[in-house]
Amino acid sequence: IESKMHLTINGGTIEIFSEDDALNASEDGISHLTINDGSIYAIVGGNGGEGDGMDSNGYITINGGVITAQAHSSSQDSGLDADLGITINGGTVIATGNMYEGIDENSKQQFMQMYFSEVQNNQNLIMENRQKLNISGVSDVINFDEQTVCVNTNLGMITIKGYNLKM
């Protein structure tokens, strides 16, 4: 689904399986992709070889809903990709890709970003009640503060970003 200017979703169930950007607001420096509510599955795969789950050449704002946004697994794309910023004020968002875009620190919704330095096989990451993350195989805590936790595991480094993080 592509809009040259703005794209706003206020509710409903939308399932997109695409070979390129699944949701796209494409006007450079102007477009705004806004999700206020709904269940959205924006999955990129197939023979296209590239594509973001949700892409805006301006901004992405998520105020509610349940969103799954997955970039093409063989590309250097993001689940969420916005040239001018991503804000998450509510809802539940799961976005995966081979690169990540930063989330605005002024977002009203708590969030956590994870970056893996290499493909993680047989590594357990268990999220409990959206409040606690258990990671198996941690060999060393490199650093941590309220915004970033960086650990070495038996399969590589994991970086988690968010706010009010505690160990």
Side-chain angles (χ1 to χ4, degrees), residues 126-156:
I126 302 169
M127 176 69 75
E128 297 178 22
N129 298 320
R130 295 179 57 179
Q131 305 230 345
K132 183 178 181 181
L133 178 67
N134 290 314
I135 304 171
S136 67
V138 173
S139 59
D140 185 31
V141 176
I142 298 168
N143 72 321
F144 71 93
D145 56 36
E146 288 189 348
Q147 297 174 344
T148 305
V149 175
C150 188
V151 297
N152 272 329
T153 72
N154 56 346
L155 294 173

Side-chain angles (χ1 to χ4, degrees), residues 1-166:
I1 297 174
E2 181 168 346
S3 170
K4 293 292 180 189
M5 289 296 286
H6 307 299
L7 178 60
T8 301
I9 297 172
N10 290 317
T13 299
I14 299 171
E15 295 181 0
I16 304 164
F17 300 93
S18 174
E19 290 191 4
D20 197 357
D21 299 338
L23 285 174
N24 190 1
S26 64
E27 184 66 29
D28 287 345
I30 297 173
S31 294
H32 203 136
L33 175 56
T34 304
I35 310 294
N36 291 318
D37 199 4
S39 295
I40 298 162
Y41 302 91
I43 311 299
V44 180
N47 296 324
E50 69 170 3
D52 299 304
M54 294 172 53
D55 183 20
S56 175
N57 292 3
Y59 300 92
I60 293 176
T61 301
I62 299 172
N63 295 314
V66 177
I67 295 101
T68 301
Q70 178 180 319
H72 196 285
S73 61
S74 66
S75 70
Q76 292 300 309
D77 289 303
S78 298
L80 301 176
D81 179 20
D83 293 349
L84 300 177
I86 300 167
T87 303
I88 301 176
N89 294 320
T92 301
V93 180
I94 299 173
T96 63
N98 292 317
M99 69 175 223
Y100 79 98
E101 299 285 330
I103 307 297
D104 187 330
E105 293 179 5
N106 295 315
S107 294
K108 295 176 183 167
Q109 175 74 348
Q110 292 185 339
F111 63 90
M112 175 176 57
Q113 290 182 294
M114 291 188 283
Y115 169 79
F116 302 95
S117 60
E118 59 186 71
V119 175
Q120 305 293 307
N121 295 315
N122 299 319
Q123 180 81 53
N124 291 319
L125 300 162
I126 302 169
M127 176 69 75
E128 297 178 22
N129 298 320
R130 295 179 57 179
Q131 305 230 345
K132 183 178 181 181
L133 178 67
N134 290 314
I135 304 171
S136 67
V138 173
S139 59
D140 185 31
V141 176
I142 298 168
N143 72 321
F144 71 93
D145 56 36
E146 288 189 348
Q147 297 174 344
T148 305
V149 175
C150 188
V151 297
N152 272 329
T153 72
N154 56 346
L155 294 173
M157 185 177 72
I158 298 175
T159 302
I160 301 166
K161 293 186 176 188
Y163 65 94
N164 294 328
L165 299 176
K166 297 184 180 9

